Amino acid sequence: MTRSRVDWGDVLSMTPAELAQLLHDEGQPRFRARQLFEWLWRQRAESYDAVRVWPKTLQQVMAQRYPLRRLTPVETQAAEDGTTKLLLAMQDSQRVETVLLPHRYGYSVCVSSQVGCAMGCKFCASGLKGRVRQLTAGEMADQVAFANRILAPQGTRVSRVDVMGIGEPLDNFAALMRFLELVHDPAGLNISYRHITVSTSGLVPRMKQLADSGLPVTLAVSLHAPNDRLRLQLMPINRAYPLTQLIPMCRYYVEKTGRRLTFEYLLLKGVNDDEATAHELGRLIRGFPNHVNLIPWNPVEEHPFKPSPFAHVRRFQGIVQEYGISCTIRRELGQEIDAACGQLRLGEEVPVSP
Ligand code: SAH
Ligand code: SF4
């Protein structure tokens, strides 16, 4: 398992086994670790005082030695379709954005993995200012726990997690692995690996590491172009990992995990949405279990593109399907609150209500 060594001051990023070690070092019996993990992730205890099953003295000792660094709400914006964008503050006052999305089957949450992003894709709002810092596993998992807190009055909770918010999750690999373990744990957030999707711009060596980890999470690869010339114009990462490396690694992922892979393809008017490009895409990715999700581009003021008209999107879909590839058009939620894919940006730039 590739995960970072634990920071003993960061209780929220600890696995149950690490909590057991910590509490053992404090002279506590094993069951206290189990209790703490459940209270941290099921009840979302804001402080040790809230761990009601603990003696007062233990609550005080823990608060002194291992302060809990929970996310705190800064602002919540809800769209008419039920999508809710959360702006949450971390201990160092950096902010993180998380989106809670309603579906027929229940709720999913779109989790951020970094403050900003280093990848510099030419169509995306998240990377406009580069990468400011990595999120810890606890800061990622707490986004899911916070969403559960919002859903609690409805008697429901998050059932799917997409690591598709701000940041490139495979550029924060060790924390991502730890996060996956935390959200999956049945004593805590209890999300099955099959209900977790990790989206990447295509960091090939890390994709291999994820495949080799054996965790059956769904991988979504942001492709956006079927040839290197076009992809390079949109995604600088393609210089390091061109399609001759990326596509074979996608096949490897599918073979290794037995999971169908998703290609994300956003359509930019007059750039990558013509018929010839659709055929080229079909030829590139046919022949192994995958699915194409067409994303209408969500406008970002700083970038010069235009979204493809819906008729082009439909035509593009029809052509991809001719290759026997399953292809859907993403329903975009929460656009009026800038909560849709690629519209999340550094938290500081979001107007904060007084
Ligand atoms: N860094 C990862 C995950 C976060 S981005 C990745 O790139 O995959 C999540 C998805 O939103 C990616 O497919 C990305 O290409 C897409 N995206 C970025 N900007 C967008 C925009 N303005 N409109 C629609 N999708 C966008
Ligand atoms: Fe980063 Fe993904 Fe945006 Fe590219 S699309 S800049 S990888 S968040």
Side-chain angles (χ1 to χ4, degrees):
M1 171 67 62
T2 316
R3 62 166 140 75
S4 48
R5 287 183 47 171
V6 68
D7 163 3
W8 291 100
D10 182 11
V11 172
L12 274 191
S13 294
M14 287 187 191
T15 62
E18 289 160 352
L19 288 178
Q21 182 64 49
L22 181 144
L23 282 153
H24 175 78
D25 294 348
E26 294 296 326
Q28 294 295 319
R30 273 199 95 74
F31 68 88
R32 293 272 183 240
R34 188 89 188 158
Q35 287 175 332
L36 178 57
F37 192 80
E38 285 185 13
W39 277 78
L40 287 180
W41 297 114
R42 279 213 195 141
Q43 323 290 338
R44 198 173 180 277
E46 302 253 354
S47 69
Y48 293 102
D49 294 348
V51 187
R52 290 199 304 270
V53 290
W54 273 12
K56 197 94 218 136
T57 45
L58 179 58
Q59 291 173 353
Q60 286 165 349
V61 168
M62 290 293 287
Q64 227 172 28
R65 299 214 188 146
Y66 309 102
L68 280 187
R69 301 181 197 147
R70 294 236 88 125
L71 301 177
T72 51
V74 177
E75 195 191 2
T76 306
Q77 279 180 288
E80 278 199 356
D81 60 22
T83 304
T84 306
K85 183 161 79 170
L86 310 168
L87 180 62
L88 304 167
M90 296 179 281
Q91 291 295 305
D92 61 357
S93 302
Q94 290 290 348
R95 276 119 188 236
V96 62
E97 283 180 53
T98 307
V99 185
L100 181 60
L101 300 128
H103 306 273
R104 273 192 302 271
Y105 63 77
Y107 285 89
S108 70
V109 66
C110 180
V111 169
S112 292
S113 56
Q114 299 176 318
V115 180
C117 181
M119 299 299 142
C121 300
K122 304 289 186 225
F123 44 77
C124 177
S126 301
L128 282 166
K129 296 211 169 143
R131 185 183 79 197
V132 177
R133 81 155 163 91
Q134 304 283 22
L135 296 194
T136 65
E139 286 164 342
M140 292 173 71
D142 208 19
Q143 297 173 53
V144 182
F146 194 89
N148 276 343
R149 199 181 87 174
I150 291 184
L151 294 175
Q154 299 174 38
T156 186
R157 50 188 210 87
V158 169
S159 56
R160 284 178 187 261
V161 170
D162 299 318
V163 190
M164 250 186 218
I166 296 178
E168 168 50 57
L170 298 192
D171 181 38
N172 188 10
F173 193 77
L176 174 76
M177 296 310 284
R178 187 174 270 285
F179 161 80
L180 293 175
E181 202 175 333
L182 284 179
V183 286
H184 169 261
D185 199 298
L189 296 164
N190 193 22
I191 311 271
S192 89
Y193 286 126
R194 287 165 200 280
H195 289 170
I196 302 176
T197 298
V198 175
S199 178
T200 182
S201 55
L203 274 69
V204 169
R206 298 300 193 193
M207 289 166 66
K208 177 159 192 317
Q209 256 178 297
L210 186 63
D212 292 342
S213 76
L215 302 184
V217 297
T218 302
L219 188 64
V221 173
S222 299
L223 193 58
H224 308 329
N227 61 62
D228 285 328
R229 181 192 50 79
L230 195 52
R231 196 161 189 269
L232 252 180
Q233 284 172 30
L234 303 173
M235 304 177 74
I237 180 78
N238 199 76
R239 199 174 304 284
Y241 306 114
L243 293 172
T244 44
Q245 292 181 33
L246 180 60
I247 301 299
M249 185 50 70
C250 292
R251 288 178 185 270
Y252 178 83
Y253 192 88
V254 170
E255 277 161 26
K256 192 83 193 190
T257 61
R259 305 284 296 154
R260 186 172 73 158
L261 181 138
T262 298
F263 285 112
E264 290 159 285
Y265 192 104
L266 66 86
L267 288 160
L268 304 164
K269 187 179 176 191
V271 177
N272 65 353
D273 65 343
D274 59 292
E275 293 184 22
T277 309
H279 283 288
E280 206 178 347
L281 177 64
R283 287 193 297 273
L284 182 73
I285 61 170
R286 69 180 155 191
F288 72 104
N290 65 54
H291 169 86
V292 174
N293 205 354
L294 297 177
I295 317 172
W297 185 62
N298 297 304
V300 173
E301 214 179 86
E302 292 86 341
H303 298 307
F305 302 109
K306 292 210 162 38
S308 293
F310 193 68
H312 289 210
V313 179
R314 274 260 185 253
R315 189 183 61 191
F316 200 94
Q317 179 189 31
I319 295 171
V320 173
Q321 285 169 336
E322 283 172 25
Y323 289 81
I325 297 164
S326 109
C327 182
T328 50
I329 300 170
R330 182 179 290 170
R331 182 175 62 118
E332 284 296 343
L333 295 166
Q335 265 165 314
E336 83 260 30
I337 54 167
D338 289 349
C341 251
Q343 288 187 320
L344 302 182
R345 40 179 86 225
L346 283 182
E348 294 96 314
E349 294 171 1
V350 174
V352 177
S353 42

